[in-house]
Amino acid sequence: MNESSSFQTNLARRVRATLAARGHTQKDAADMLGISESTLSNKLTGKIRFNDAEIFSLSHWLGVPSDALLGLKPLEVA
């Protein structure tokens, strides 16, 4: 696994964990982002990359710093 795919895998893992902690479904997140559930599923499995705007939107919607989703600081989703 190269560095880029490892980064995307870890980003997807942090997004999934935060969705679960906040009680949101993939459908909720897909609707908020304006994408299909299948597209979000592909992003959450690392098949498609999240773009910067999606990361920003998700972090704002989920109430966590984008740096936490990106793995630059600890992710606290209590």
Side-chain angles (χ1 to χ4, degrees), residues 7-23:
F7 171 80
Q8 288 297 314
T9 299
N10 288 325
L11 170 61
R13 180 183 48 79
R14 288 187 291 273
V15 170
R16 285 192 310 272
T18 308
L19 284 172
R22 297 288 191 258

Side-chain angles (χ1 to χ4, degrees), residues 25-65:
T25 65
Q26 287 187 26
K27 180 178 180 352
D28 296 334
D31 289 347
M32 186 278 301
L33 290 171
I35 60 177
S36 70
E37 287 181 70
S38 63
T39 297
L40 180 62
S41 178
N42 284 328
K43 290 176 182 283
L44 292 174
T45 57
K47 294 177 185 170
I48 301 175
R49 298 176 65 139
F50 283 98
N51 65 42
D52 294 343
E54 291 167 337
I55 295 167
F56 177 79
S57 294
L58 282 167
S59 69
H60 180 73
W61 181 67
L62 293 168
V64 296

